[in-house]
Amino acid sequence: MPVDDTIDATGTTDATGVTGPYRPSDVRGAVRRAVEGRCAATGRPYDERTCTDALLVASELATNAILHGGGLTGYDVEADERTVHVSVSDRSERLPRTTTPLDERGRHRLGGRGWPIVRRLARDVRVAGLPDGGKRITAVVPITPVAMPTPAL
């Protein structure tokens, strides 16, 4: 059974009592709760490194929604046995894009690394337009359960 922590795009209160405007820390907290809920349901902990990947993807998606998408309007997190699905909605219909690390004069740009990080860490990334405008980006991040020791006979 998936653990679900959802906020809709209308600014209602989420499962933890948070009401918009939403922050990247809200989305990271939802990832933590979803993974912890999955651990409790299965009785198996998850590899910390892969959980950190899911937290970084959540943070990057939420930050990009704020910086480039006109604001974070909602999020949804769901964990299953092998993946964390992180969805973030914003007000912009503009698709994410990758920028070069150097500007036209050859100087290093600030930023521009979030989308490549998301694409590298996520197994699947989808961008969908929303009926009332804006978009929803969903990233599927693999997580690895910690191997349980085999009992000695």
Side-chain angles (χ1 to χ4, degrees):
M1 173 174 108
V3 176
D4 193 20
D5 187 350
T6 305
I7 294 179
D8 72 19
T10 61
T12 59
T13 304
D14 76 354
T16 62
V18 175
T19 302
Y22 310 112
R23 302 172 313 233
S25 62
D26 299 328
V27 184
R28 288 192 309 270
V31 168
R32 280 191 191 94
R33 288 186 301 279
V35 172
E36 288 168 2
R38 176 52 46 193
C39 289
T42 63
R44 296 183 69 186
Y46 286 90
D47 175 62
E48 187 61 34
R49 183 186 59 80
T50 60
C51 290
T52 301
D53 289 349
L55 291 168
L56 180 56
V57 167
S59 187
E60 290 296 339
L61 288 175
T63 300
N64 285 349
I66 292 166
L67 294 177
H68 309 294
L72 175 59
T73 59
Y75 65 87
D76 179 63
V77 176
E78 189 175 297
D80 61 31
E81 302 252 348
R82 301 266 181 218
T83 59
V84 176
H85 297 247
V86 180
S87 297
V88 170
S89 302
D90 64 36
R91 290 180 177 89
S92 174
E93 294 177 6
R94 195 173 79 202
L95 295 176
R97 62 186 176 93
T98 302
T99 59
T100 61
L102 302 176
D103 68 12
E104 59 281 346
R105 292 185 181 169
R107 298 177 296 189
H108 287 277
R109 296 179 194 266
L110 293 177
R113 287 151 186 85
W115 186 239
I117 288 170
V118 168
R119 301 222 22 225
R120 171 126 177 136
L121 295 178
R123 184 180 73 199
D124 184 38
V125 180
R126 296 175 190 250
V127 181
L130 297 173
D132 294 331
K135 67 182 168 299
R136 180 177 185 90
I137 300 175
T138 301
V140 180
V141 184
I143 56 173
T144 307
V146 173
M148 302 302 282
T150 306
L153 297 175

